[in-house]
Amino acid sequence: MIKTINKNLNVIESMLYFWQATKEKEKVGENYLVTLSEYDEMKLLYSDDFDAESVRKSLSAISNREMLNGGTQKERQFWNNNMWMMEDMDYMRMMVDPLKKLNLDTLIESINSKKDIAQEEIEVVFIPANKEEYIIKGNKLVINFFKVTPDLMDEEKTTIEGKNLIEYIEEKILENF
């Protein structure tokens, strides 16, 4: 039975600084990028072809206003997605704002009435990922921030893959836990 569902925006909060500073042509230091790449939340994304060095290298290229030379497909996708955030900072904020306001407590009763889930605590982690829509690691539902889609006509409506954000999270918890 689920007792708590926590939201984790640690990486997104750090990326907000990176995107804003880089957009304003400030140099983001390598130490910041290394620290960001070593976040436990980012480690949930890592694989044989995408790791902490991939994150550091991609973000460093962006901060230095360079193309990402070479690199794996996932590194190029990560570079491209982060460049996209800086192209339209208003749209990026429209993606972040609903996440900051997101109250997952409303899901506990609904999920518990539909399924007996072994975990008492689930953490919903938003990170800037590659092509993955979501990842399950232990008691964590890791959602690709780049898949969050705000409605340009209705700021109260936010979706992922065409589904309402809160319904999407509930569905993924019910399917995977």
Side-chain angles (χ1 to χ4, degrees):
M1 172 184 259
I2 297 175
K3 292 184 179 173
T4 60
I5 302 176
N6 297 312
K7 165 181 69 176
N8 182 327
L9 297 174
N10 292 343
V11 173
I12 299 304
E13 293 290 346
S14 294
M15 291 304 299
L16 286 172
Y17 166 75
F18 173 81
W19 293 323
Q20 187 68 47
T22 303
K23 177 76 174 179
E24 294 172 359
K25 300 189 181 353
E26 292 178 29
K27 174 77 171 110
V28 177
E30 287 293 313
N31 287 341
Y32 189 86
L33 303 180
V34 168
T35 299
L36 196 147
S37 72
E38 293 174 348
Y39 279 12
D40 288 339
E41 296 90 345
M42 286 301 291
K43 291 177 184 176
L44 297 168
L45 176 66
Y46 296 160
S47 62
D48 291 342
D49 60 345
F50 190 82
D51 57 17
E53 177 57 17
S54 300
V55 170
R56 188 213 58 80
K57 179 172 57 174
S58 299
L59 296 180
S60 181
I62 292 169
S63 182
N64 291 326
R65 288 158 195 41
E66 300 170 349
M67 295 294 292
L68 181 64
N69 295 322
T72 67
Q73 180 180 1
K74 286 185 177 182
E75 289 170 345
R76 290 188 304 272
Q77 181 72 44
F78 186 75
W79 181 89
N80 188 57
N81 286 342
N82 281 283
M83 289 296 290
W84 168 53
M85 289 297 97
M86 295 183 311
E87 285 177 16
D88 189 345
M89 298 294 282
D90 290 333
Y91 188 79
M92 179 270 299
R93 285 184 197 88
M94 289 175 68
M95 293 169 70
V96 172
D97 288 346
L99 303 182
K100 288 184 175 186
K101 297 174 189 172
L102 188 62
N103 179 359
L104 298 175
D105 292 339
T106 61
L107 289 178
I108 296 171
E109 186 177 331
S110 175
I111 290 171
N112 285 335
S113 71
K114 295 174 183 169
K115 184 177 179 183
D116 186 23
I117 294 179
Q119 285 89 354
E120 290 186 0
E121 181 178 326
I122 292 179
E123 185 175 19
V124 178
V125 182
F126 290 89
I127 60 173
N130 298 298
K131 292 185 180 203
E132 302 88 349
E133 184 179 315
Y134 71 96
I135 303 166
I136 304 295
K137 293 275 179 113
N139 72 329
K140 296 174 180 17
L141 167 59
V142 183
I143 297 176
N144 185 348
F145 170 73
F146 297 126
K147 299 291 183 179
V148 173
T149 308
D151 187 311
L152 298 174
M153 302 306 214
D154 182 358
E155 65 185 51
E156 298 299 314
K157 186 176 179 186
T158 303
T159 61
I160 297 178
E161 298 300 316
K163 294 185 177 141
N164 173 282
L165 180 60
I166 199 85
E167 292 170 7
Y168 176 88
I169 292 169
E170 180 177 18
E171 177 183 287
K172 296 309 172 199
I173 290 172
L174 288 169
E175 286 176 1
N176 296 286
F177 292 95

